[in-house]
Amino acid sequence: MMPKEITPPLFNRLRVILVETSRPGNIGSVARAMKTMGFSELVLVNPRVEGALQHEEAVAFASGAQDILASARIVTTMAEALDGINHAAAVSARLREFSPPVQTPREVAQHVALAASAATGQDFYPALLFGNERFGLPNEIVERCNVLINIPANPDYSSLNLAQAAQVLLYECRMAALGGTGIAAGSVGFHGDAASQAQIEGMYAHLEQALVAIGFLDADNPRKLMPRLKRLFARAGLETEEVNILRGIARQMMEKARKPGE
């Protein structure tokens, strides 16, 4: 039975806020980026197109993430968008003379992931703010945020599409929340019982006998073969069933090496 997946706190705490978005397709693309990275709370502030969440372009570009659109909220003020948020990060390619501290996506992601893991109750709820495709975020919104995120892109062409910028940020947040592995505990593949030291040592002894039997290992001059093999298998993190398979291989090697009549 696979262990139950544990969802890191950041996935249930991070809010994505789109401010005055012009293209419904970009809203749909951001919803798709959110779903692929495991986030779900989307808030729109005064989108330029009426009925943006139901617009055919938004639905088409969401491409399977229509549930994110269906649960999204539309608000008319930044106060509503930031209600309950206590760490706001503005995303902008344009640096400002007066702005909060500038950080990279990875720095922000690591901070919010750690803070969310350590938080209890209503202690920490972060948000990522993205501005209009053409004008970005106005200074008055940037100045009320805790940090300004600048994506370190090609200085000769640093402009990212809205959904591309969101994907970069959400990917970093996912990686940080999952401890850099990209895989939640117990989420992928079969996990068997870890082999005990006694089982592993028994396997090593059996394998050594088999290697001697087939002439690969000289028992009188073993050199460093077995220590190297032990180091190799130690990196694998052997499970009980895997040890049994290796012992089965060793058994067959010894059977094949046995001379007729022995």
Side-chain angles (χ1 to χ4, degrees), residues 237-252:
L238 292 170
E239 297 173 358
T240 299
E241 188 60 29
E242 293 165 344
V243 166
N244 292 338
I245 290 171
L246 290 169
R247 295 198 70 158
I249 294 171
R251 188 180 305 110
Q252 284 296 109

Side-chain angles (χ1 to χ4, degrees), residues 18-22 27 44-52 74-75:
L18 305 183
V19 181
E20 298 187 0
T21 312
S22 296
I27 296 171
L44 309 183
V45 182
N46 295 322
R48 297 290 181 90
V49 176
E50 187 176 353
I74 295 179
V75 299

Side-chain angles (χ1 to χ4, degrees), residues 1 24 32 49 61 72 78 80 86 93 103 117 124 130 167 169 174 180 204 206 208 226 230 258 261:
M1 182 178 178
R32 181 177 182 177
V49 176
F61 278 68
M78 285 305 303
E80 292 175 277
N86 43 34
Q103 294 184 345
S117 295
F124 187 80
F130 299 87
Q167 186 75 71
L169 266 296
R174 178 176 181 83
Y204 286 145
H206 200 169
E208 184 173 5
M226 290 311 298
K230 288 182 178 182
R258 185 174 295 129

Side-chain angles (χ1 to χ4, degrees), residues 73-91:
R73 294 185 292 121
I74 295 179
V75 299
T76 58
T77 67
M78 285 305 303
E80 292 175 277
L82 292 172
D83 183 41
I85 296 297
N86 43 34
H87 188 86
V91 182

Side-chain angles (χ1 to χ4, degrees), residues 11 37 39 109 113 170-183:
F11 289 104
M37 294 296 109
F39 300 96
L170 294 168
Y171 168 79
E172 291 291 350
C173 287
R174 178 176 181 83
M175 292 298 291
L178 297 175
T181 65
I183 302 175

Side-chain angles (χ1 to χ4, degrees), residues 79-159:
E80 292 175 277
L82 292 172
D83 183 41
I85 296 297
N86 43 34
H87 188 86
V91 182
S92 176
R94 179 166 55 92
L95 299 179
R96 320 297 170 99
E97 182 179 1
F98 299 102
S99 79
V102 179
Q103 294 184 345
T104 66
R106 189 158 300 173
E107 290 172 329
V108 171
Q110 290 172 347
H111 171 74
V112 297
L114 286 172
S117 295
T120 58
Q122 302 296 315
D123 290 346
F124 187 80
Y125 283 85
L128 301 175
L129 280 68
F130 299 87
N132 175 269
E133 296 93 328
R134 184 177 178 185
F135 303 108
L137 289 168
N139 288 336
E140 59 268 23
I141 291 179
V142 172
E143 290 168 8
R144 68 189 294 180
C145 292
N146 300 89
V147 295
L148 175 64
I149 303 174
N150 185 255
I151 298 173
N154 176 6
D156 295 327
Y157 188 70
S158 60
S159 177

